[in-house]
Amino acid sequence: MKEEWIVEDCPGNIGDMFNCLKVGVPSYSHERSTYGVNWAKLAEKGNRINMFFSGDSSTRKRVDLGGRSSKERDRKNLLEQTRLERNRRLWLRQQNSAALRIQSFCSYGCTLIALILVVRVKLVVAISIAVFKSKLQLGRKVVRTEQSKLRVKFRSIYGNNCQNLDRNAFGPDSDFLRQFLYFFNAENIDDFLILVQICRLLQQFVQESEEWGFERLGWVGDYQMTIVPLLEKRAYTASGFPLATGDSKSRESHKNALVRMSFGNDGGVALSHGGRSGWGVEMRNKSDVYKEGDMDEWSVRVEIKMYATGDVVRLFAGEDYSNRCALVNYRVKQFVYTCIRAVHQNRYQLKDQLLLTLKESTASAIPLLEVLVLLIDPKLPWSCKIVGCLSQNNAFSLLREIILTGKDNAENCVYSEKESSLERVLTVLICHIGQKPCICSPTDPAYSFSLQILTIPFLWHVFPNLKQVFAKQGLGQHYIHQMATWVPNLINSLPMDISEEFPTYACLLGNILETGGIALSRPDCSYDMAIDLAAVTTFLLESYPSPTRSNGRENSKIAEDEMTGEDEVMEAALDRKLNQQICNAIDTRFLLQLTNILFRDFSSANGLDCEPEDREVAAVGAVCGFLHVIFNTLPLEKIMTVLAYRTELVPILWNFMKRCHENKKWSSLCERLSYLSGDAPGWLLPLSVFCPVYKHMLMIVDNEEYYEQEKPLSLKDIRSLIILLRQALWQLLWVNHTTSTNSVKSVPVSTAIKKQFEAIQQRVSNVVSELLSQLQDWNNRRQFTSPSDFHADGVNDYFISQAVIENTRANEILKQAPFLIPFTSRAKIFTSQLAAARQRHGSQAVFTRNRFKIRRNHILEDAYNQMSQLSEEDLRGLIRVAFVNEFGVEEAGIDGGGIFKDFMENITRAAFDVQYGLFKETADHLLYPNPGSGMIHEQHLQFFHFLGTLLAKAMFEGILVDLPFATFFLSKLKQKHNYLNDLPSLDPELYRHLIFLKSRVDGTVLSSSSFNVGTKEGHYEGDISELELYFVIVNNEYGEQTEEELLPGGKSIRVTNENVITFIHLVANHRLNFQIRQQSSHFLRGFQQLIQKDWIDMFNEHELQLLISGSLDSLDVDDLRQHTNYAGGYHSEHYVIGMFWEVLKGFSLENKKNFLKFVTGCSRGPLLGFRYLEPLFCIQRAGGNASEEAVDRLPTSATCMNLLKLPPYKSKEQLETKLLYAINADAGFDLS
């Protein structure tokens, strides 16, 4: 039995708690009592103690605890202690709760205090601002009061019109300028008039300080030099010299006379200045006209005016400028800036005066502008300080607004050739900046002359003399180079657009291009100047709206479907005159000079082991970047011929690309276009320029130049070029596309830049495709490389399987660059497309709705009458034919397809026969529409529509027909244009005559340095105008001659060396395109009823001819033998079969074609070989046994089954005789 004693809430230590229990305890141990109390653990248990007793309680000895009073007292003590402890804990909880409430209250209070502080701060700030404004207003009021007082005092001292002003007032010891600049207010008309008067007086004081005298310098040969006064002269050149009054030669003489004057062969005489600076010189002879011959034959009087720039300095600084330069510079800077600000503030009131010349000195604006010219003279010691201060204070933006105001007011005026005062100010400024020994500090691009003044529309029309100064070598180069260094951020630094029609970048572009042409025409124009000019204009042209941008296939998608978000920019149309300025500036002369300057140090004959140098890479990048944006901006007709024939662009670019390709190291040209990324292939930009230029060149090159002379590129180089183009195109169309779809770019690129980069990739893929297609045409005319060189290496079964699926990447490549895929693969795709179309339209149906009865001797008329009544749907269905012989009896046989094949072959032979008059033959017996068909058949156009349908039906059913068409006619089925090089297939004699005339372009040898064929035999070397040729052509059809003009008014336009190329191409166009346009158009309409355009776009003209007629290579007897079945007891080892193949192999080509027609209904085998013949050719035993009656029978056939019924002939000779008779009997189907 166990008992539990519980002692609760025991105060004090453990010993005190249990004193009451120790009384009478029989045994006690400190560690553990006999009662089971674990005293060692007692402290861990707290105030609750469990005491366990063992044994029977009745046997335990009872102990007297000494009464109940002590126990109750202890119990009360314990209860009191417990209550106190509980109260203490409650108090602690209350304290904690109160602390939490205080903390939350404090946070709210802090927020409230913070809000109060913010309000107080705002209130203080508002009060402070209000106080500041009131003080500022008070201060301004005080200043205005002081200014008014000073203004009154100023007038009392110097007079209302400064009549009391003398030259000493401008000195450093005078307060005149300080006082005036303090109270001057540009809006105050009185202050403005005072400033005008001050400027007039300043000019007068400077003029009065000039010293004049007469001194004879003596004679040098026949030349006498005399100093004479020129007080009446008021015309100065840009540098401050008196303007010469003679011709341009005299002006050039006087400009150089300040340094030294040379007189004939007698040496020279140096001008003695007497310590003065700024002398002007004028030279002229007695009659003011230079005479021809030696200069010693006439005398010259030299008039020297001492232009005392030193006196301007003494006027402001006294005799000691060096010690007072700081004060003087400050005053002059403030005075000059005040003059500009005054003109700017009153520009609308002065708008009629801003573009006046010095002679109109009564105008208020002229004195202010002339003082600017006087005080910013580069010879003055403070000029750099003044110009630097003006640049930093945005003076060019003020001048910009002044010019725009004056220009707008004089919009319809004819600008004077004389230099206006405002133009003189600009001239002094631009001549100073960047010129040695100029020490002006660099300026912010946004406030520079380049971006503030050059962005004014038609600047050079307003200031023609400034244009000539700017275009000087060194000056224009400085500003162009300056802008080239700003190119990455140039657009962001431009001023705001004047209007939507005059965007700032376009105005800057027009002005730069206009002066750039002058700079490029200088003999000493440097390579660096051309590089910088190309960089700046390329950057600006990237923003130029392209007239063809909305018409291009790739750009239309970008502009309409994909333009979203921040890239959605509406391009406003440029002003017509501004657009004309830009287009006119980029003329053939500009392109010729730019290209020749950049390429003049490089040769097209560098070896493959020579890698391109940095200068060559920079030149190629500059030319290609500029021309790429030009091709997207301007019409190509006027610039392509110049680039192709009057520059070394094609050979130099090819040499550059060839070396990079052979060395497998392409130089990066990504910095030439802002949207080219660093990982863009190095060939991308060169190909975008090379391909269209070389393609244009190939349209004019004749066969002799291309194949014989190998100009402009050798045939070996062309083979290498084909490989390069093929690899580049495959990478653009397939590799890059596959890589981009399977990878995620880590570097974010803006949508606009990405679209521009995709646009150049699309453009390069287009021009490369076009050039490769053109090179393939040249290879088809006369093979110089293997056709497999055009096939991409990556075309495999997977690609072919994808190519037949619409809207896949492989299918798009098939449409854009079909030559990358082998012809056999494309032919299989074409065959599968036809089979699918036939199946869709029920060509395999058992019952046929359309059955024709055709008379063999009226096959064309019967077929035309019956087929013309069929709808397009019926034409796609099955047509079965029954022939009627000459006796009116229907021929034996059921048409299972073979009779229809025979019908198609016969009707095509009849319809396309030249005797019928719808088609004609070339010298090579190739068919093309007869231009005079209308003179023979009244309904000739309807017949051409029928013939187009007929040919399409043959192709649709997979029937080959023996119709050799001319290449230039097949191109019409592909809706292509024919060019000069297609003319030999039509009229070789006319082609030779035209090539004989092709000797000059723009007055120079056509082939230039690239061709060097101008002196070769076969090209006319004289003046073509002497031949009395005009832009007319004579047509001769069936003895009737008609004359047609090649151009409106061509009868009066004579062919010259300048327009002979145009004449040649117009003649070729007339014969190849214009004459047969109606016939070809109607033929094409009929053809496209059954054959879709995209089906035949996979093939070039040579391959299309194979689709129509097959190839003679398909008549391969061994191939036919490998794909032949046998029946009726025959097998491949049978002796009759062995004789048969031996006989067939010995047949002539004509007999082989007759045999093939006899057994299949068509004289040509399947395009891809006899394995594709459906059903396979079969030889069946006829006659049962080898009896005399059996072997005397002729072989028969079932063309619908491609079946030959061959009796078991006993000898090879007998088999040959019977077979030849059967295939040449031309007995229709009666033999069957």
Side-chain angles (χ1 to χ4, degrees):
M1 176 179 179
K2 293 185 179 181
E3 296 182 6
E4 183 177 7
W5 289 14
I6 300 175
V7 182
E8 295 184 279
D9 299 327
C10 300
N13 54 38
I14 297 302
D16 294 337
M17 282 195 296
F18 289 93
N19 283 334
C20 61
L21 300 179
K22 293 179 182 180
V23 181
V25 177
S27 77
Y28 172 76
S29 171
H30 179 71
E31 291 296 328
R32 180 180 297 274
S33 70
T34 57
Y35 296 98
V37 179
N38 191 344
W39 300 99
K41 298 295 184 180
L42 188 60
E44 299 177 6
K45 299 295 183 180
N47 293 327
R48 182 179 181 88
I49 303 174
N50 297 326
M51 302 183 67
F52 301 94
F53 297 89
S54 61
D56 187 4
S57 59
S58 61
T59 62
R60 289 198 299 269
K61 188 177 181 178
R62 301 184 67 84
V63 179
D64 186 7
L65 296 178
R68 297 179 63 84
S69 59
S70 175
K71 182 177 179 180
E72 290 292 333
R73 184 176 61 253
D74 291 339
R75 184 172 179 274
K76 290 181 179 179
N77 289 336
L78 288 174
L79 292 175
E80 182 66 18
Q81 291 293 332
T82 301
R83 185 182 63 79
L84 293 175
E85 181 64 21
R86 286 176 179 173
N87 291 338
R88 186 180 66 82
R89 292 179 179 177
L90 178 61
W91 180 82
L92 288 176
R93 286 196 297 270
Q94 292 174 349
Q95 291 292 325
N96 291 336
S97 177
L100 291 175
R101 287 196 297 270
I102 292 173
Q103 183 178 1
S104 63
F105 176 78
C106 289
S107 63
Y108 173 76
C110 291
T111 304
L112 183 61
I113 293 172
L115 291 174
I116 295 173
L117 289 176
V118 169
V119 172
R120 290 187 61 184
V121 169
K122 290 185 176 180
L123 183 61
V124 170
V125 171
I127 295 173
S128 300
I129 293 175
V131 172
F132 175 77
K133 287 183 177 179
S134 62
K135 289 183 177 180
L136 184 61
Q137 292 176 356
L138 180 61
R140 288 176 176 173
K141 185 175 180 181
V142 172
V143 170
R144 285 195 296 268
T145 303
E146 292 299 322
Q147 287 177 337
S148 299
K149 292 179 181 179
L150 186 58
R151 184 179 290 109
V152 172
K153 180 180 178 181
F154 181 88
R155 290 180 176 177
S156 64
I157 297 175
Y158 300 103
N160 290 334
N161 294 322
C162 295
Q163 61 270 21
N164 301 329
L165 191 66
D166 60 9
R167 60 181 294 115
N168 295 324
F170 293 94
D173 298 327
S174 173
D175 291 335
F176 164 73
L177 281 180
R178 180 183 62 80
Q179 294 175 2
F180 174 75
L181 295 175
Y182 176 74
F183 71 75
F184 176 76
N185 182 4
E187 298 179 359
N188 189 315
I189 186 62
D190 294 330
D191 290 356
F192 178 77
L193 294 177
I194 292 175
L195 178 61
V196 172
Q197 186 61 23
I198 291 173
C199 291
R200 285 198 177 104
L201 292 172
L202 179 59
Q203 289 178 286
Q204 179 181 340
F205 294 151
V206 172
Q207 292 173 359
E208 291 176 352
S209 65
E210 298 172 348
E211 300 177 2
W212 305 94
F214 294 88
E215 177 183 358
R216 176 167 294 180
L217 300 182
W219 291 83
V220 179
D222 294 332
Y223 299 93
Q224 183 180 15
M225 299 180 63
T226 307
I227 299 177
V228 297
L230 296 177
L231 287 175
E232 73 282 1
K233 299 284 184 182
R234 287 294 181 269
Y236 297 89
T237 62
S239 58
F241 303 149
L243 184 64
T245 58
D247 57 6
S248 60
K249 186 174 181 181
S250 67
R251 296 186 184 201
E252 292 299 324
S253 300
H254 98 271
K255 289 178 183 178
N256 299 323
L258 185 62
V259 179
R260 186 175 181 83
M261 291 186 62
S262 299
F263 299 97
N265 300 322
D266 296 327
V269 57
L271 297 179
S272 175
H273 295 175
R276 296 286 190 180
S277 63
W279 288 33
V281 178
E282 181 177 342
M283 285 183 54
R284 52 182 163 172
N285 63 354
K286 295 178 180 179
S287 62
D288 287 335
V289 178
Y290 282 100
K291 298 179 179 179
E292 299 292 335
D294 193 355
M295 292 179 64
D296 288 338
E297 296 179 359
W298 47 274
S299 64
V300 175
R301 181 181 65 178
V302 180
E303 300 173 345
I304 301 178
K305 174 182 178 181
M306 203 175 355
Y307 184 68
T309 54
D311 291 330
V312 178
V313 178
R314 283 196 296 273
L315 191 64
F316 282 90
E319 298 296 333
D320 190 8
Y321 168 76
S322 59
N323 291 330
R324 299 183 176 184
C325 61
L327 174 63
V328 173
N329 292 347
Y330 175 78
R331 286 186 175 181
V332 174
K333 284 190 292 186
Q334 293 300 316
F335 185 73
V336 169
Y337 188 72
T338 298
C339 292
I340 295 177
R341 196 159 48 86
V343 177
H344 175 264
Q345 186 66 39
N346 298 277
R347 62 188 183 279
Y348 295 111
Q349 292 80 8
L350 302 173
K351 59 184 179 180
D352 296 330
Q353 308 175 17
L354 296 176
L355 299 180
L356 297 179
T357 60
L358 180 61
K359 289 185 177 180
E360 291 89 358
S361 57
T362 57
S364 300
I366 301 303
L368 276 66
L369 297 174
E370 287 298 326
V371 163
L372 294 177
V373 177
L374 180 66
L375 296 181
I376 309 176
D377 193 315
K379 296 187 293 294
L380 295 172
W382 57 61
S383 59
C384 279
K385 300 288 185 181
I386 303 299
V387 175
C389 176
L390 293 178
S391 300
Q392 294 172 2
N393 285 277
N394 202 14
F396 283 118
S397 64
L398 302 181
L399 289 172
R400 170 185 171 83
E401 295 180 5
I402 293 171
I403 297 170
L404 288 174
T405 303
K407 173 181 173 296
D408 293 340
N409 183 65
E411 189 70 32
N412 298 322
C413 298
V414 178
Y415 299 109
S416 174
E417 295 183 358
K418 296 183 179 179
E419 198 172 23
S420 67
S421 295
L422 186 55
E423 185 175 11
R424 284 161 48 76
V425 173
L426 296 175
T427 302
V428 174
L429 285 173
I430 68 171
C431 288
H432 176 84
I433 299 176
Q435 302 300 299
K436 297 179 180 180
C438 174
I439 56 173
C440 289
S441 57
T443 60
D444 187 339
Y447 302 136
S448 65
F449 169 84
S450 302
L451 303 191
Q452 289 292 336
I453 305 301
L454 290 181
T455 53
I456 296 175
F458 312 114
L459 179 68
W460 312 127
H461 299 183
V462 184
F463 303 130
N465 296 315
L466 181 67
K467 174 183 176 180
Q468 299 300 324
V469 174
F470 182 85
K472 285 183 178 178
Q473 178 69 12
L475 187 59
Q477 181 174 354
H478 165 76
Y479 286 101
I480 296 296
H481 177 71
Q482 188 183 60
M483 284 184 282
T485 60
W486 298 338
V487 155
N489 300 311
L490 186 60
I491 293 294
N492 297 329
S493 302
L494 293 175
M496 293 182 62
D497 294 343
I498 299 174
S499 66
E500 291 185 354
E501 293 184 343
F502 291 95
T504 310
Y505 80 89
C507 300
L508 177 62
L509 176 63
N511 291 328
I512 291 177
L513 288 172
E514 196 170 338
T515 54
I518 299 176
L520 292 175
S521 64
R522 295 176 59 90
D524 55 350
C525 183
S526 66
Y527 164 88
D528 294 331
M529 168 65 179
I531 286 285
D532 292 335
L533 180 62
V536 175
T537 53
T538 299
F539 182 80
L540 294 174
L541 280 166
E542 288 181 25
S543 302
Y544 189 77
S546 170
T548 59
R549 190 168 295 168
S550 60
N551 298 328
R553 177 175 52 190
E554 67 279 9
N555 293 318
S556 62
K557 294 181 180 179
I558 294 175
E560 297 175 5
D561 300 332
E562 301 176 3
M563 190 74 80
T564 57
E566 62 182 10
D567 301 314
E568 192 168 354
V569 179
M570 298 298 294
E571 291 181 347
L574 292 184
D575 175 75
R576 182 181 59 82
K577 292 183 179 179
L578 178 59
N579 184 69
Q580 186 177 6
Q581 179 194 25
I582 295 173
C583 294
N584 291 343
I586 310 177
D587 57 4
T588 56
R589 182 183 179 87
F590 183 94
L591 295 174
L592 179 65
Q593 292 168 343
L594 178 65
T595 307
N596 288 341
I597 290 174
L598 290 174
F599 284 162
R600 64 187 174 192
D601 296 331
F602 308 110
S603 171
S604 60
N606 290 331
L608 296 179
D609 55 342
C610 178
E611 294 185 4
E613 299 178 353
D614 291 341
R615 280 174 58 87
E616 184 179 2
V617 173
V620 169
V623 169
C624 292
F626 178 77
L627 293 179
H628 171 74
V629 295
I630 288 296
F631 293 164
N632 289 333
T633 304
L634 300 179
L636 301 182
E637 292 78 8
K638 70 174 186 176
I639 60 179
M640 279 299 183
T641 300
V642 172
L643 293 174
Y645 295 106
R646 298 184 62 186
T647 70
E648 293 284 343
L649 181 67
V650 167
I652 288 181
L653 276 186
W654 165 241
N655 185 267
F656 173 82
M657 293 189 298
K658 180 172 64 173
R659 284 180 288 151
C660 293
H661 180 65
E662 294 293 337
N663 296 322
K664 298 181 180 180
K665 183 178 180 182
W666 287 90
S667 303
S668 176
L669 303 175
C670 59
E671 70 277 2
R672 295 301 165 185
L673 291 178
S674 59
Y675 47 81
L676 280 186
S677 59
D679 58 350
W683 41 259
L684 190 66
L685 191 56
L687 284 181
S688 71
V689 174
F690 173 85
C691 290
V693 177
Y694 186 50
K695 176 177 176 289
H696 180 81
M697 181 179 288
L698 291 180
M699 290 191 299
I700 304 178
V701 170
D702 58 69
N703 293 337
E704 180 184 358
E705 291 167 337
Y706 187 89
Y707 295 111
E708 307 299 335
Q709 301 172 14
E710 299 189 9
K711 301 292 185 177
L713 300 180
S714 66
L715 295 180
K716 179 181 178 182
D717 282 343
I718 294 176
R719 286 190 286 269
S720 301
L721 174 62
I722 291 172
I723 295 174
L724 169 61
L725 295 177
R726 181 198 70 202
Q727 294 174 350
L729 185 61
W730 182 251
Q731 182 172 343
L732 287 174
L733 296 181
W734 182 255
V735 177
N736 287 359
H737 178 80
T738 306
T739 304
S740 62
T741 54
N742 296 331
S743 62
V744 179
K745 292 187 176 180
S746 58
V747 180
V749 180
S750 70
T751 307
I753 293 179
K754 182 179 179 180
K755 289 176 180 176
Q756 287 178 310
F757 181 63
E758 291 174 352
I760 185 176
Q761 286 185 311
Q762 182 64 40
R763 172 177 171 76
V764 171
S765 66
N766 288 338
V767 295
V768 171
S769 298
E770 293 170 359
L771 179 57
L772 272 174
S773 179
Q774 196 169 13
L775 291 173
Q776 190 182 42
D777 291 341
W778 282 94
N779 194 51
N780 290 334
R781 293 189 191 106
R782 186 188 303 178
Q783 184 170 327
F784 57 86
T785 188
S786 171
S788 62
D789 286 344
F790 294 91
H791 302 159
D793 298 330
V795 175
N796 49 27
D797 294 338
Y798 170 75
F799 181 89
I800 298 299
S801 65
Q802 291 292 306
V804 298
I805 304 175
E806 288 291 333
N807 300 323
T808 61
R809 188 61 181 172
N811 184 259
E812 294 177 3
I813 295 175
L814 179 64
K815 294 177 180 179
Q816 179 178 346
F819 45 78
L820 293 176
I821 305 167
F823 171 69
T824 54
S825 299
R826 284 179 281 130
K828 292 177 184 178
I829 295 174
F830 177 70
T831 303
S832 65
Q833 290 172 332
L834 291 179
R838 288 196 298 268
Q839 187 173 7
R840 284 195 305 268
H841 294 90
S843 294
Q844 306 299 328
V846 177
F847 300 101
T848 305
R849 292 182 297 174
N850 304 305
R851 299 181 180 275
F852 295 167
K853 286 188 177 182
I854 305 296
R855 295 172 295 173
R856 284 193 178 271
N857 53 352
H858 295 86
I859 186 171
L860 183 57
E861 291 83 353
D862 290 350
Y864 173 75
N865 293 329
Q866 296 182 60
M867 288 189 69
S868 298
Q869 299 176 5
L870 299 181
S871 66
E872 188 172 316
E873 186 70 20
D874 291 336
L875 287 172
R876 292 192 177 94
L878 289 175
I879 298 177
R880 290 298 174 245
V881 175
F883 279 112
V884 178
N885 62 21
E886 57 186 353
F887 304 107
V889 179
E890 189 172 315
E891 295 181 0
I894 299 175
D895 187 5
I899 299 179
F900 179 73
K901 291 180 184 178
D902 182 67
F903 160 73
M904 293 298 296
E905 187 157 304
N906 282 279
I907 192 175
T908 51
R909 184 188 303 115
F912 289 92
D913 193 330
V914 295
Q915 299 297 325
Y916 196 73
L918 292 177
F919 275 78
K920 297 181 70 174
E921 280 187 347
T922 67
D924 297 327
H925 305 288
L926 302 177
L927 297 172
Y928 70 96
N930 181 8
S933 59
M935 303 174 65
I936 301 176
H937 299 281
E938 183 177 353
Q939 296 182 337
H940 67 118
L941 297 181
Q942 288 82 351
F943 274 109
F944 276 105
H945 185 280
F946 164 69
L947 294 182
T949 305
L950 197 64
L951 179 63
K953 181 62 176 176
M955 296 182 67
F956 189 80
E957 298 294 342
I959 300 173
L960 300 177
V961 291
D962 191 7
L963 296 175
F965 290 109
T967 303
F968 65 87
F969 172 64
L970 291 174
S971 67
K972 294 304 176 183
L973 297 183
K974 294 173 59 63
Q975 297 180 335
K976 288 174 57 178
H977 193 83
N978 294 306
Y979 295 96
L980 176 65
N981 295 306
D982 299 303
L983 188 58
S985 63
L986 173 62
D987 194 337
E989 185 178 1
L990 175 62
Y991 176 76
R992 286 193 297 270
H993 291 165
L994 293 178
I995 295 303
F996 177 76
L997 297 177
K998 194 188 74 170
S999 60
R1000 297 180 179 273
V1001 175
D1002 295 335
T1004 60
V1005 175
L1006 170 70
S1007 303
S1008 186
S1009 56
S1010 304
F1011 280 35
N1012 296 322
V1013 297
T1015 59
K1016 291 185 177 293
E1017 184 179 358
H1019 289 274
Y1020 186 73
E1021 296 303 317
D1023 187 354
I1024 293 179
S1025 61
E1026 298 175 354
L1027 299 178
E1028 293 289 336
L1029 295 175
Y1030 294 87
F1031 278 78
V1032 294
I1033 189 169
V1034 177
N1035 298 319
N1036 188 355
E1037 298 293 342
Y1038 301 103
E1040 181 178 340
Q1041 290 189 349
T1042 58
E1043 192 176 75
E1044 291 189 55
E1045 292 184 335
L1046 299 175
L1047 287 175
K1051 293 181 179 180
S1052 59
I1053 303 177
R1054 178 176 292 188
V1055 179
T1056 65
N1057 290 341
E1058 287 72 27
N1059 61 21
V1060 63
I1061 293 299
T1062 303
F1063 173 77
I1064 291 172
H1065 284 274
L1066 286 176
V1067 171
N1069 175 69
H1070 180 83
R1071 294 298 308 275
L1072 294 170
N1073 301 298
F1074 184 79
Q1075 275 191 324
I1076 61 173
R1077 70 191 185 284
Q1078 289 184 327
Q1079 293 87 338
S1080 300
S1081 177
H1082 282 77
F1083 189 95
L1084 180 62
R1085 291 176 193 173
F1087 184 80
Q1088 290 184 343
Q1089 282 188 298
L1090 295 174
I1091 302 297
Q1092 298 178 14
K1093 181 179 183 298
D1094 57 336
W1095 291 353
I1096 63 170
D1097 280 345
M1098 295 187 294
F1099 308 97
N1100 59 38
E1101 290 81 356
H1102 176 72
E1103 294 167 341
L1104 184 56
Q1105 181 65 59
L1106 294 178
L1107 293 179
I1108 296 172
S1109 302
S1111 172
L1112 293 179
D1113 296 336
S1114 62
L1115 292 177
D1116 187 349
V1117 176
D1118 293 333
D1119 180 49
L1120 177 62
R1121 185 173 187 176
Q1122 290 178 2
H1123 301 94
T1124 298
N1125 295 327
Y1126 302 96
Y1130 283 154
H1131 52 80
S1132 60
E1133 302 299 329
H1134 196 283
Y1135 77 96
V1136 175
I1137 298 302
M1139 290 190 301
F1140 167 77
W1141 290 119
E1142 290 180 10
V1143 168
L1144 184 60
K1145 208 166 190 179
F1147 277 0
S1148 65
L1149 179 60
E1150 187 65 26
N1151 284 331
K1152 289 178 181 178
K1153 293 169 64 176
N1154 290 337
F1155 168 78
L1156 202 56
K1157 181 181 178 182
F1158 178 73
V1159 295
T1160 66
C1162 181
S1163 61
R1164 292 177 179 265
L1167 183 64
L1168 301 177
F1170 286 101
R1171 64 178 298 182
Y1172 292 96
L1173 183 65
E1174 294 182 4
L1176 290 179
F1177 176 54
C1178 180
I1179 303 177
Q1180 178 179 331
R1181 181 168 180 164
N1185 52 40
S1187 63
E1188 290 295 332
E1189 181 182 358
V1191 298
D1192 193 48
R1193 297 175 56 185
L1194 292 173
T1196 59
S1197 65
T1199 55
C1200 58
M1201 302 292 295
N1202 297 326
L1203 177 67
L1204 173 64
K1205 300 176 183 179
L1206 183 66
Y1209 297 111
K1210 296 181 179 180
S1211 67
K1212 180 178 176 182
E1213 292 75 12
Q1214 186 184 23
L1215 188 151
E1216 181 177 4
T1217 302
K1218 295 291 185 179
L1219 186 59
L1220 283 174
Y1221 182 85
I1223 64 177
N1224 292 305
D1226 197 18
F1229 290 88
D1230 290 335
L1231 288 178
S1232 62

